[in-house]
Amino acid sequence: MNTRTSKLLTIFMMIFMVSLSFSPVMAADNSTGLADSASPKYQQDNQNTGQSEYTGPQNNTTKWTYTPEGGLTGYGLSIGIDGTIYIPTVVDDVGVLLALNPNGTRKWNYTIQDGDGAYIRGAPSVAADGTIYFPTDRYNNGNLGKFYALNPDGTLKWNYTVNDAIHNWIAGSPLIADDGTIYITGYLETNPYYYGNVLALNPDGTLKWNYTVTDKNENFIDSSPALGHDGTIYFTNRFYNGTNYISSLFALNPNGTKKWDYIVREGIQNWILRSPSLAEDGTIYFINVVNDGINYISKLFALNPDGTLKWNYTGVKGSYISTTPSIAKDGTIYVGGGFSNETVRFGTLHAFNPDGTVKWNFTTKEFIDVDSVIGADGTIYFGDGGPKTFYALNPDGIKKWSMEIEALTSAVIGSDGTLYIGAYEVNVESWISKIYAIQGYGTSDLYVNTTVNNTNPRVGDTVQITYKVGNRGPATAIGTILEFLIPNGMQYLNASVDVGTFTYNASTRTITWNLGDVPVGDPYMYVFLKVLESGSFKIQPTLTTLSNDPNIASSIGYAVISAQETDTAIIPAKTIGMQKTGLPVAGFVLAVLAVLGGIFIPRRK
C-alpha cells in the first residue's frame, strides 16, 4: 500500500468515527442494580417511597383471583422484569416462593431447602439481570438466617448463610445498589446478647462487608433498609438497656462505616415501627411509638440528611401510626394507623405536608396496618385489618372505591395498571390465602401525526392543520387529551373533530381536544388558522392519557409554518413531523465511500 493510499484510508477512518459520534447514542449497560420493573421490591424502590410510575385501577373490578397451595406470609409482593409476580408463601410449615404469570396462572414455585420452620422473611427484590433475592430464617432446631438468589426460571443461583453466631435472623427486604451490591439487615445472638447486623454482599454471593451494632447491648434490626441517592444506607435499630427499649436510626456509608445515628430519647420505652423512607430532597421519615407509662403515643419523625431533627408530629394519646411512610411525587407523606380505648376503635390514614402540617385524615373502621402504594395519578391504595377493607383514595382524601377482602399485604401495581393484592386469613383449622388482580388500564401506544396543507403561506392566507391521533394498542387509551397553543401572529378560525369534543380558550389561545377513550384507530382533528403576520410559527401539541404509555413523549409530531409577506416568493417546504435524533449515518458513509472510490479507481492514461 503506497503512502498516498494509506493517508486516504486514515482520513476515511477518521470521518467514519466522527460520523458514528453523531449517531444515536447506544443504551448504557443496565446489567446491575435494581430491576426496571413495575415493582421490583418492597415499597417500590430503594427509597421505600411506595411510588409507582403506573396508573392503577379506577374501580374495584376483579380481573382474576388465584388461591395458592399454602398461606401468604404477609411480607408483600414484587414484580419481575417480564411482569411475573413473586409471592412469599408457606406450605406445610416450609417457605415457598410462588411465581405467577400476569394472567394468574402458576409459573413455578421454589421450596426452601432448610427444613421445617424456615420461612421467607421479606418481600423479594429483583435485580436488573432478573435475579430474585429474598431472606429466610428458621425458627426451630436453631435459628438459621440465610439469603437466597434465584434465577428468573426459579432455579437456585446461590445462597449465603450467616453462620458466625449461635442464632441469627435476617429480616426485611434487601436493597440492590446501582453497582449490584446487596444490603440486608437482621440480628444475631452471641451469648448472652443480641446485636443488630447489616451485611453487604456482592452479586456472586460473597461477603463484601458487615456492620454490627455493638455499642449497645440487646440490639434488634427487623425492618427493610432504605438507600440514599448518595449511597447512604439507612436502617432502624431498637436496643434494650436493661430496663427499657430505646430506638435509633442509623446511617452507614457505602463502605460499611458508621456515618451517624439518631436516638429517640422519649418516653419510658419507644419503638421505631416498620421501615424508614426517603424523600427526593433527602429527608428521612420514620414512625416511632412511645410509651409514657400510661398511654402509647405515635410520632412521625423527619430528619435532615445529616441526622439532625427537621420536625416531628405527635399524635393523640392512645393513637398508633404503624406503617412505613409513603411519599407522593408532590412530597405528601401518607402513614396509616389507628386509635383505641375502652369505648372507641378506628383506623386513620394520615396525609402530611412536607413541613409536618396535617393535610387531611381519612377514617376507616379498623386499624390501618398495610403500607400505601401511590399510583402515577396520585391515587392512594391501602387496606385496614379489621373488617378487612381495601381502599383507593383520590389525592384530596376522597374515597374513589373500596372492596371487602381478607387480611391484607401491601399491594403492587403492574405495568398495565393491574393492582395485585395479597390476602390471607389464619384461623384455627386453616390458613386461607388468595391473590387478587384488580383490573387496570392496559398499555397503549399513542402517537400524533401532524400535517399542514401549506407550510409557506402568505399573510392573509388560511392554513389547515390536521392532527391524527393514533393508537397502536394493544389496549384502549383511557382519558386521552390533546392540547396546543395558537401562536401570536395567527388567528383561530374554526376546527372540527371526528371523535370526542374540543374547546378553544380565547384568553389563553389554547385548543383542548378531549378524545376520551381512544381504541386502536386513528381519530382526526382539522384546525383552520388565518395568518396575520409573517414569521416562523411552531405549533407543538401535548398528549396525555390515564393509560400506561411509556413512549408517548417521543411520538408527537409538530408543525412549522413559515409565513411570507404577500409580495415574497413562495419557497416550497415540507411538513415537519416527529423529530428523530442522530444523523443518517448509513447515507453519509455511503457518500464518503463513493467519493473515496472515485479517488482510488485508477485513471486511464
Side-chain angles (χ1 to χ4, degrees), residues 291-336:
N291 184 340
D292 63 2
I294 301 174
N295 297 292
Y296 288 101
I297 305 171
S298 293
K299 289 196 170 189
L300 172 62
F301 280 80
L303 301 187
N304 295 302
D306 62 359
T308 57
L309 179 66
K310 191 171 186 178
W311 53 259
N312 64 30
Y313 173 86
T314 303
V316 298
K317 292 182 178 180
S319 68
Y320 269 95
I321 303 176
S322 56
T323 66
T324 296
S326 296
I327 308 169
K329 292 178 182 178
D330 65 357
T332 303
I333 309 111
Y334 299 108
V335 289

Side-chain angles (χ1 to χ4, degrees), residues 404-427:
E404 298 303 308
I405 203 169
E406 294 85 354
L408 307 165
T409 66
S410 299
V412 294
I413 301 173
S415 60
D416 64 352
T418 301
L419 185 77
Y420 301 105
I421 309 169
Y424 64 96
E425 182 174 7
V426 181
N427 56 38

Side-chain angles (χ1 to χ4, degrees), residues 447-450 472 554-558 576-580:
Y447 62 92
V448 178
N449 285 341
T450 305
R472 302 183 185 96
S554 62
S555 303
I556 302 174
Y558 58 82
I576 299 178
M578 184 177 69
Q579 302 300 294
K580 296 181 179 179

Side-chain angles (χ1 to χ4, degrees), residues 264 401 603:
V264 181
W401 57 262
R603 298 180 181 178

Side-chain angles (χ1 to χ4, degrees), residues 363-378:
T363 302
T364 64
K365 297 177 182 179
E366 266 293 348
F367 275 61
I368 297 170
D369 54 6
V370 175
D371 301 325
S372 303
V373 60
I374 307 166
D377 62 346

Side-chain angles (χ1 to χ4, degrees), residues 1-11 600:
M1 183 182 296
N2 60 39
T3 303
R4 180 172 178 270
T5 302
S6 176
K7 287 182 179 179
L8 288 171
L9 285 175
T10 301
I11 294 171
F600 290 141

